[in-house]
PDB file of all heavy atoms in Angstrom:
ATOM      1  N   VAL B  49      40.577 -65.773  10.182  1.00 95.00           N
ATOM      2  CA  VAL B  49      41.266 -64.597   9.655  1.00 95.00           C
ATOM      3  C   VAL B  49      41.173 -64.637   8.136  1.00 95.00           C
ATOM      4  O   VAL B  49      41.819 -65.463   7.484  1.00 95.00           O
ATOM      5  CB  VAL B  49      42.738 -64.544  10.108  1.00 95.00           C
ATOM      6  CG1 VAL B  49      43.414 -63.285   9.556  1.00 95.00           C
ATOM      7  CG2 VAL B  49      42.838 -64.593  11.626  1.00 95.00           C
ATOM      8  N   CYS B  50      40.354 -63.758   7.578  1.00 93.00           N
ATOM      9  CA  CYS B  50      40.193 -63.692   6.125  1.00 93.00           C
ATOM     10  C   CYS B  50      41.086 -62.582   5.585  1.00 93.00           C
ATOM     11  O   CYS B  50      40.926 -61.420   5.987  1.00 93.00           O
ATOM     12  CB  CYS B  50      38.737 -63.430   5.758  1.00 93.00           C
ATOM     13  SG  CYS B  50      38.443 -63.357   3.984  1.00 93.00           S
ATOM     14  N   PRO B  51      42.028 -62.894   4.692  1.00 92.00           N
ATOM     15  CA  PRO B  51      42.950 -61.872   4.186  1.00 92.00           C
ATOM     16  C   PRO B  51      42.346 -60.963   3.122  1.00 92.00           C
ATOM     17  O   PRO B  51      42.997 -60.017   2.681  1.00 92.00           O
ATOM     18  CB  PRO B  51      44.084 -62.709   3.584  1.00 92.00           C
ATOM     19  CG  PRO B  51      43.431 -63.980   3.156  1.00 92.00           C
ATOM     20  CD  PRO B  51      42.331 -64.232   4.150  1.00 92.00           C
ATOM     21  N   PHE B  52      41.108 -61.242   2.718  1.00 91.00           N
ATOM     22  CA  PHE B  52      40.500 -60.483   1.629  1.00 91.00           C
ATOM     23  C   PHE B  52      39.663 -59.332   2.186  1.00 91.00           C
ATOM     24  O   PHE B  52      38.919 -59.511   3.146  1.00 91.00           O
ATOM     25  CB  PHE B  52      39.639 -61.386   0.757  1.00 91.00           C
ATOM     26  CG  PHE B  52      40.330 -62.659   0.373  1.00 91.00           C
ATOM     27  CD1 PHE B  52      39.727 -63.887   0.544  1.00 91.00           C
ATOM     28  CD2 PHE B  52      41.616 -62.627  -0.149  1.00 91.00           C
ATOM     29  CE1 PHE B  52      40.376 -65.059   0.204  1.00 91.00           C
ATOM     30  CE2 PHE B  52      42.276 -63.796  -0.495  1.00 91.00           C
ATOM     31  CZ  PHE B  52      41.655 -65.017  -0.316  1.00 91.00           C
ATOM     32  N   PRO B  53      39.752 -58.150   1.587  1.00 90.00           N
ATOM     33  CA  PRO B  53      39.037 -56.987   2.120  1.00 90.00           C
ATOM     34  C   PRO B  53      37.530 -57.120   1.947  1.00 90.00           C
ATOM     35  O   PRO B  53      37.041 -57.912   1.145  1.00 90.00           O
ATOM     36  CB  PRO B  53      39.595 -55.828   1.293  1.00 90.00           C
ATOM     37  CG  PRO B  53      40.047 -56.444   0.018  1.00 90.00           C
ATOM     38  CD  PRO B  53      40.545 -57.812   0.383  1.00 90.00           C
ATOM     39  N   GLU B  54      36.809 -56.323   2.719  1.00 90.00           N
ATOM     40  CA  GLU B  54      35.355 -56.285   2.598  1.00 90.00           C
ATOM     41  C   GLU B  54      34.965 -55.936   1.169  1.00 90.00           C
ATOM     42  O   GLU B  54      35.574 -55.073   0.538  1.00 90.00           O
ATOM     43  CB  GLU B  54      34.790 -55.233   3.558  1.00 90.00           C
ATOM     44  CG  GLU B  54      33.272 -55.177   3.585  1.00 90.00           C
ATOM     45  CD  GLU B  54      32.760 -54.164   4.589  1.00 90.00           C
ATOM     46  OE1 GLU B  54      33.592 -53.599   5.338  1.00 90.00           O
ATOM     47  OE2 GLU B  54      31.540 -53.920   4.615  1.00 90.00           O
ATOM     48  N   VAL B  55      33.967 -56.636   0.661  1.00 91.00           N
ATOM     49  CA  VAL B  55      33.560 -56.435  -0.728  1.00 91.00           C
ATOM     50  C   VAL B  55      32.508 -55.339  -0.819  1.00 91.00           C
ATOM     51  O   VAL B  55      31.824 -55.015   0.159  1.00 91.00           O
ATOM     52  CB  VAL B  55      33.009 -57.739  -1.341  1.00 91.00           C
ATOM     53  CG1 VAL B  55      34.072 -58.807  -1.377  1.00 91.00           C
ATOM     54  CG2 VAL B  55      31.781 -58.228  -0.583  1.00 91.00           C
ATOM     55  N   GLY B  56      32.378 -54.780  -2.017  1.00 93.00           N
ATOM     56  CA  GLY B  56      31.322 -53.821  -2.270  1.00 93.00           C
ATOM     57  C   GLY B  56      30.036 -54.523  -2.657  1.00 93.00           C
ATOM     58  O   GLY B  56      29.857 -55.721  -2.402  1.00 93.00           O
ATOM     59  N   ILE B  57      29.148 -53.806  -3.285  1.00 96.00           N
ATOM     60  CA  ILE B  57      27.889 -54.394  -3.738  1.00 96.00           C
ATOM     61  C   ILE B  57      27.613 -53.890  -5.144  1.00 96.00           C
ATOM     62  O   ILE B  57      27.938 -52.741  -5.487  1.00 96.00           O
ATOM     63  CB  ILE B  57      26.741 -54.055  -2.768  1.00 96.00           C
ATOM     64  CG1 ILE B  57      25.486 -54.863  -3.119  1.00 96.00           C
ATOM     65  CG2 ILE B  57      26.450 -52.548  -2.740  1.00 96.00           C
ATOM     66  CD1 ILE B  57      24.459 -54.892  -2.006  1.00 96.00           C
ATOM     67  N   HIS B  58      27.053 -54.737  -5.963  1.00 97.00           N
ATOM     68  CA  HIS B  58      26.806 -54.378  -7.357  1.00 97.00           C
ATOM     69  C   HIS B  58      25.832 -53.209  -7.433  1.00 97.00           C
ATOM     70  O   HIS B  58      24.853 -53.144  -6.661  1.00 97.00           O
ATOM     71  CB  HIS B  58      26.243 -55.589  -8.103  1.00 97.00           C
ATOM     72  CG  HIS B  58      26.315 -55.466  -9.586  1.00 97.00           C
ATOM     73  ND1 HIS B  58      25.362 -54.789 -10.324  1.00 97.00           N
ATOM     74  CD2 HIS B  58      27.241 -55.913 -10.490  1.00 97.00           C
ATOM     75  CE1 HIS B  58      25.684 -54.836 -11.600  1.00 97.00           C
ATOM     76  NE2 HIS B  58      26.820 -55.511 -11.736  1.00 97.00           N
ATOM     77  N   PRO B  59      26.049 -52.262  -8.339  1.00 97.00           N
ATOM     78  CA  PRO B  59      25.149 -51.103  -8.434  1.00 97.00           C
ATOM     79  C   PRO B  59      23.713 -51.468  -8.759  1.00 97.00           C
ATOM     80  O   PRO B  59      22.798 -50.677  -8.502  1.00 97.00           O
ATOM     81  CB  PRO B  59      25.784 -50.246  -9.535  1.00 97.00           C
ATOM     82  CG  PRO B  59      26.728 -51.144 -10.270  1.00 97.00           C
ATOM     83  CD  PRO B  59      27.195 -52.145  -9.272  1.00 97.00           C
ATOM     84  N   GLU B  60      23.493 -52.655  -9.324  1.00 98.00           N
ATOM     85  CA  GLU B  60      22.131 -53.090  -9.662  1.00 98.00           C
ATOM     86  C   GLU B  60      21.578 -54.055  -8.613  1.00 98.00           C
ATOM     87  O   GLU B  60      20.688 -54.863  -8.900  1.00 98.00           O
ATOM     88  CB  GLU B  60      22.132 -53.773 -11.038  1.00 98.00           C
ATOM     89  CG  GLU B  60      22.526 -52.865 -12.193  1.00 98.00           C
ATOM     90  CD  GLU B  60      21.324 -52.122 -12.754  1.00 98.00           C
ATOM     91  OE1 GLU B  60      20.336 -51.938 -12.021  1.00 98.00           O
ATOM     92  OE2 GLU B  60      21.393 -51.738 -13.923  1.00 98.00           O
TER      93      GLU B  60
END
Side-chain angles (χ1 to χ4, degrees):
V49 181
C50 181
F52 312 130
E54 184 178 354
V55 297
I57 189 164
H58 196 277
E60 297 273 24

